[in-house]
Amino acid sequence: MNHQLATNELKNPIERIVIFAIAVLLAIILASLTIRQFQVADPYVKSVLSLTGDQFQGSAIFQMNCAGCHISVADSQVGPNLHRVSDRKSEFELIRQVTSGRTPPMPQFQPNPQEMADLLKYLEQI
C-alpha cells in the first residue's frame, strides 16, 4: 500500500508537468496563428502577396537599391549576405525588413506592391 501511495505521488508532479507543457505548446501555436492572421491582414502585405513577382525585375530593383550593401566587394560588406534568405525569413519578415529599415544602417525602402513582389521573387532565387 505504501508503494502504491508513493507511485501516485510521483505521477501527480509528472502529470502536472505534462499538462503545463501541453498548455504552453497550445499557447505558442495559438499566438503564432494569431500573429500570422494580423500580418496577412496588412493591406500592403496582402497586396504584395496577391501579385506574381518577376525575378528579372526583382534583380534590377536589387541592383539599384540593395546590392551596394548586400554584395561582398573586396571582403567588405555593410549588410548581411542574402544568399538563401528566403529559407531563413518568411515573405512577411522580408517585406517588413525592407519597408521598415528597422535594422540600422538599412534605410527605409518604399517599393510599390509590384516592385516588392518582384524583389521577393528575386530573393527566392539567390
Side-chain angles (χ1 to χ4, degrees):
M1 181 133 161
N2 288 338
H3 176 56
Q4 187 178 17
L5 184 60
T7 303
N8 285 340
E9 288 175 5
L10 283 176
K11 283 185 180 178
N12 244 352
I14 292 171
E15 287 175 359
R16 288 180 187 169
I17 291 171
V18 169
I19 290 171
F20 179 74
I22 291 171
V24 168
L25 182 62
L26 289 174
I28 290 170
I29 291 170
L30 182 61
S32 296
L33 292 173
T34 303
I35 289 169
R36 177 72 178 152
Q37 187 61 33
F38 283 123
Q39 292 171 344
V40 176
D42 180 312
Y44 178 77
V45 172
K46 194 172 188 178
S47 177
V48 170
L49 297 178
S50 73
L51 298 169
T52 301
D54 180 291
Q55 174 185 350
F56 298 106
Q57 286 296 105
S59 175
I61 293 166
F62 183 86
Q63 294 305 316
M64 288 186 300
N65 298 285
C66 312
C69 294
H70 292 283
I71 298 291
S72 183
V73 178
D75 292 331
S76 67
Q77 150 180 344
V78 175
N81 184 332
L82 297 180
H83 179 70
R84 299 183 66 112
V85 69
S86 62
D87 292 345
R88 298 186 307 270
K89 291 188 175 273
S90 70
E91 289 178 322
F92 176 80
E93 290 172 316
L94 291 170
I95 292 168
R96 282 290 160 234
Q97 180 64 49
V98 169
T99 59
S100 74
R102 65 182 169 185
T103 309
M106 185 168 167
Q108 266 188 317
F109 177 49
Q110 298 297 317
N112 67 45
Q114 183 61 59
E115 291 170 333
M116 189 69 231
D118 296 341
L119 185 57
L120 287 175
K121 190 66 163 180
Y122 173 72
L123 291 174
E124 288 175 7
Q125 308 302 317
I126 61 171

